[in-house]
């Protein structure tokens, strides 16, 4: 459980930190691939995957199987809303949220494809 908690703290730090703490500059051909969306996809997908893997004993019920991804998706929405209202040079982005959702759903599919 601790790895998933630490990863979650890392995700919240990266997504809620004031702009300019880490400021990556990408060349135009990389910018066209929207690397920030891929980062959201990977961060949230890895977070859900690690949560499921480290809590597998608690993840067998249908109730848990349904609500866990819903909670992760809601956390993605909360992050984007906080980015919008915190006014730290960041802005909420629906496409970031969509990347979060897709990351969680792909991780969900990976861990439940049996």
């Amino acid at each position: 459980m601790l790895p998933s908690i630490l990863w979650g703290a890392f995700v919240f730090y990266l997504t809620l930190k004031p702009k300019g703490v880490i400021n990556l500059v990408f060349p135009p051909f990389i910018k066209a691939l929207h690397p920030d969306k891929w980062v959201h996809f990977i961060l949230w997908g890895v977070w859900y995957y690690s949560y499921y893997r480290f809590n597998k004993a608690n993840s067998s019920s249908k109730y848990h199987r349904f609500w866990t991804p819903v909670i992760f998706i809601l956390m993605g929405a909360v992050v984007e809303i906080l980015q919008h209202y915190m006014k730290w040079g960041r802005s909420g982005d629906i496409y970031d949220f969509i990347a979060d959702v897709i990351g969680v759903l792909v991780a969900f599919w990976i861990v439940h494809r049996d």
Side-chain angles (χ1 to χ4, degrees), residues 4-17:
S4 136
I5 292 170
L6 292 174
W7 186 261
F10 177 68
V11 169
F12 276 107
Y13 168 73
L14 286 181
T15 56
L16 294 175
K17 67 175 180 46

PDB file of all heavy atoms in Angstrom, residues 4-17:
ATOM      1  N   SER A   4       1.830   2.798  -3.417  1.00  0.00           N
ATOM      2  CA  SER A   4       0.728   3.494  -4.070  1.00  0.00           C
ATOM      3  C   SER A   4       0.451   4.844  -3.412  1.00  0.00           C
ATOM      4  O   SER A   4       0.148   5.828  -4.093  1.00  0.00           O
ATOM      5  CB  SER A   4      -0.490   2.572  -4.056  1.00  0.00           C
ATOM      6  OG  SER A   4      -1.637   3.165  -3.715  1.00  0.00           O
ATOM      7  N   ILE A   5       0.587   4.935  -2.107  1.00  0.00           N
ATOM      8  CA  ILE A   5       0.414   6.209  -1.399  1.00  0.00           C
ATOM      9  C   ILE A   5       1.511   7.188  -1.806  1.00  0.00           C
ATOM     10  O   ILE A   5       1.250   8.368  -2.072  1.00  0.00           O
ATOM     11  CB  ILE A   5       0.398   5.995   0.123  1.00  0.00           C
ATOM     12  CG1 ILE A   5      -0.864   5.231   0.528  1.00  0.00           C
ATOM     13  CG2 ILE A   5       0.498   7.322   0.873  1.00  0.00           C
ATOM     14  CD1 ILE A   5      -0.871   4.758   1.954  1.00  0.00           C
ATOM     15  N   LEU A   6       2.738   6.709  -1.882  1.00  0.00           N
ATOM     16  CA  LEU A   6       3.853   7.573  -2.288  1.00  0.00           C
ATOM     17  C   LEU A   6       3.682   8.045  -3.728  1.00  0.00           C
ATOM     18  O   LEU A   6       3.949   9.211  -4.042  1.00  0.00           O
ATOM     19  CB  LEU A   6       5.181   6.847  -2.113  1.00  0.00           C
ATOM     20  CG  LEU A   6       5.593   6.560  -0.664  1.00  0.00           C
ATOM     21  CD1 LEU A   6       6.856   5.699  -0.626  1.00  0.00           C
ATOM     22  CD2 LEU A   6       5.788   7.840   0.106  1.00  0.00           C
ATOM     23  N   TRP A   7       3.233   7.133  -4.608  1.00  0.00           N
ATOM     24  CA  TRP A   7       3.011   7.524  -6.006  1.00  0.00           C
ATOM     25  C   TRP A   7       1.902   8.574  -6.078  1.00  0.00           C
ATOM     26  O   TRP A   7       1.999   9.545  -6.821  1.00  0.00           O
ATOM     27  CB  TRP A   7       2.676   6.310  -6.869  1.00  0.00           C
ATOM     28  CG  TRP A   7       2.601   6.672  -8.316  1.00  0.00           C
ATOM     29  CD1 TRP A   7       1.481   6.915  -9.046  1.00  0.00           C
ATOM     30  CD2 TRP A   7       3.698   6.889  -9.206  1.00  0.00           C
ATOM     31  NE1 TRP A   7       1.808   7.247 -10.335  1.00  0.00           N
ATOM     32  CE2 TRP A   7       3.162   7.235 -10.463  1.00  0.00           C
ATOM     33  CE3 TRP A   7       5.084   6.808  -9.063  1.00  0.00           C
ATOM     34  CZ2 TRP A   7       3.957   7.507 -11.563  1.00  0.00           C
ATOM     35  CZ3 TRP A   7       5.872   7.079 -10.164  1.00  0.00           C
ATOM     36  CH2 TRP A   7       5.317   7.430 -11.395  1.00  0.00           C
ATOM     37  N   GLY A   8       0.836   8.387  -5.286  1.00  0.00           N
ATOM     38  CA  GLY A   8      -0.250   9.363  -5.256  1.00  0.00           C
ATOM     39  C   GLY A   8       0.224  10.726  -4.794  1.00  0.00           C
ATOM     40  O   GLY A   8      -0.172  11.758  -5.346  1.00  0.00           O
ATOM     41  N   ALA A   9       1.080  10.759  -3.778  1.00  0.00           N
ATOM     42  CA  ALA A   9       1.636  12.026  -3.303  1.00  0.00           C
ATOM     43  C   ALA A   9       2.467  12.680  -4.405  1.00  0.00           C
ATOM     44  O   ALA A   9       2.405  13.905  -4.611  1.00  0.00           O
ATOM     45  CB  ALA A   9       2.484  11.797  -2.050  1.00  0.00           C
ATOM     46  N   PHE A  10       3.224  11.882  -5.141  1.00  0.00           N
ATOM     47  CA  PHE A  10       4.020  12.371  -6.267  1.00  0.00           C
ATOM     48  C   PHE A  10       3.111  12.951  -7.352  1.00  0.00           C
ATOM     49  O   PHE A  10       3.373  14.041  -7.885  1.00  0.00           O
ATOM     50  CB  PHE A  10       4.879  11.220  -6.813  1.00  0.00           C
ATOM     51  CG  PHE A  10       5.697  11.567  -8.010  1.00  0.00           C
ATOM     52  CD1 PHE A  10       6.752  12.465  -7.921  1.00  0.00           C
ATOM     53  CD2 PHE A  10       5.439  10.964  -9.234  1.00  0.00           C
ATOM     54  CE1 PHE A  10       7.526  12.769  -9.033  1.00  0.00           C
ATOM     55  CE2 PHE A  10       6.205  11.260 -10.344  1.00  0.00           C
ATOM     56  CZ  PHE A  10       7.244  12.167 -10.253  1.00  0.00           C
ATOM     57  N   VAL A  11       2.018  12.250  -7.664  1.00  0.00           N
ATOM     58  CA  VAL A  11       1.061  12.729  -8.673  1.00  0.00           C
ATOM     59  C   VAL A  11       0.466  14.070  -8.239  1.00  0.00           C
ATOM     60  O   VAL A  11       0.416  15.019  -9.018  1.00  0.00           O
ATOM     61  CB  VAL A  11      -0.056  11.688  -8.916  1.00  0.00           C
ATOM     62  CG1 VAL A  11      -1.195  12.278  -9.741  1.00  0.00           C
ATOM     63  CG2 VAL A  11       0.503  10.448  -9.602  1.00  0.00           C
ATOM     64  N   PHE A  12       0.031  14.156  -6.983  1.00  0.00           N
ATOM     65  CA  PHE A  12      -0.552  15.413  -6.510  1.00  0.00           C
ATOM     66  C   PHE A  12       0.485  16.539  -6.500  1.00  0.00           C
ATOM     67  O   PHE A  12       0.165  17.678  -6.835  1.00  0.00           O
ATOM     68  CB  PHE A  12      -1.187  15.243  -5.129  1.00  0.00           C
ATOM     69  CG  PHE A  12      -2.583  14.720  -5.205  1.00  0.00           C
ATOM     70  CD1 PHE A  12      -2.871  13.423  -4.851  1.00  0.00           C
ATOM     71  CD2 PHE A  12      -3.616  15.532  -5.644  1.00  0.00           C
ATOM     72  CE1 PHE A  12      -4.170  12.935  -4.929  1.00  0.00           C
ATOM     73  CE2 PHE A  12      -4.917  15.064  -5.722  1.00  0.00           C
ATOM     74  CZ  PHE A  12      -5.187  13.754  -5.362  1.00  0.00           C
ATOM     75  N   TYR A  13       1.725  16.228  -6.142  1.00  0.00           N
ATOM     76  CA  TYR A  13       2.762  17.264  -6.174  1.00  0.00           C
ATOM     77  C   TYR A  13       2.940  17.787  -7.599  1.00  0.00           C
ATOM     78  O   TYR A  13       2.942  19.000  -7.831  1.00  0.00           O
ATOM     79  CB  TYR A  13       4.094  16.726  -5.645  1.00  0.00           C
ATOM     80  CG  TYR A  13       5.229  17.674  -5.935  1.00  0.00           C
ATOM     81  CD1 TYR A  13       5.355  18.869  -5.216  1.00  0.00           C
ATOM     82  CD2 TYR A  13       6.142  17.428  -6.953  1.00  0.00           C
ATOM     83  CE1 TYR A  13       6.366  19.771  -5.505  1.00  0.00           C
ATOM     84  CE2 TYR A  13       7.150  18.317  -7.243  1.00  0.00           C
ATOM     85  CZ  TYR A  13       7.263  19.491  -6.528  1.00  0.00           C
ATOM     86  OH  TYR A  13       8.264  20.382  -6.825  1.00  0.00           O
ATOM     87  N   LEU A  14       3.105  16.865  -8.555  1.00  0.00           N
ATOM     88  CA  LEU A  14       3.348  17.292  -9.937  1.00  0.00           C
ATOM     89  C   LEU A  14       2.174  18.063 -10.530  1.00  0.00           C
ATOM     90  O   LEU A  14       2.374  18.993 -11.305  1.00  0.00           O
ATOM     91  CB  LEU A  14       3.649  16.078 -10.818  1.00  0.00           C
ATOM     92  CG  LEU A  14       5.015  15.437 -10.647  1.00  0.00           C
ATOM     93  CD1 LEU A  14       5.154  14.263 -11.612  1.00  0.00           C
ATOM     94  CD2 LEU A  14       6.135  16.433 -10.880  1.00  0.00           C
ATOM     95  N   THR A  15       0.955  17.666 -10.169  1.00  0.00           N
ATOM     96  CA  THR A  15      -0.203  18.294 -10.793  1.00  0.00           C
ATOM     97  C   THR A  15      -0.700  19.548 -10.075  1.00  0.00           C
ATOM     98  O   THR A  15      -1.441  20.330 -10.658  1.00  0.00           O
ATOM     99  CB  THR A  15      -1.364  17.287 -10.931  1.00  0.00           C
ATOM    100  OG1 THR A  15      -1.676  16.743  -9.654  1.00  0.00           O
ATOM    101  CG2 THR A  15      -1.002  16.168 -11.892  1.00  0.00           C
ATOM    102  N   LEU A  16      -0.286  19.746  -8.829  1.00  0.00           N
ATOM    103  CA  LEU A  16      -0.754  20.913  -8.083  1.00  0.00           C
ATOM    104  C   LEU A  16       0.341  21.921  -7.727  1.00  0.00           C
ATOM    105  O   LEU A  16       0.048  22.959  -7.153  1.00  0.00           O
ATOM    106  CB  LEU A  16      -1.478  20.469  -6.798  1.00  0.00           C
ATOM    107  CG  LEU A  16      -2.783  19.716  -7.019  1.00  0.00           C
ATOM    108  CD1 LEU A  16      -3.337  19.218  -5.697  1.00  0.00           C
ATOM    109  CD2 LEU A  16      -3.802  20.579  -7.741  1.00  0.00           C
ATOM    110  N   LYS A  17       1.579  21.609  -8.040  1.00  0.00           N
ATOM    111  CA  LYS A  17       2.669  22.529  -7.710  1.00  0.00           C
ATOM    112  C   LYS A  17       2.519  23.826  -8.502  1.00  0.00           C
ATOM    113  O   LYS A  17       1.942  23.834  -9.586  1.00  0.00           O
ATOM    114  CB  LYS A  17       4.016  21.883  -8.022  1.00  0.00           C
ATOM    115  CG  LYS A  17       4.208  21.690  -9.511  1.00  0.00           C
ATOM    116  CD  LYS A  17       5.541  21.166  -9.869  1.00  0.00           C
ATOM    117  CE  LYS A  17       5.672  21.000 -11.354  1.00  0.00           C
ATOM    118  NZ  LYS A  17       5.226  22.090 -12.186  1.00  0.00           N
TER     119      LYS A  17
END
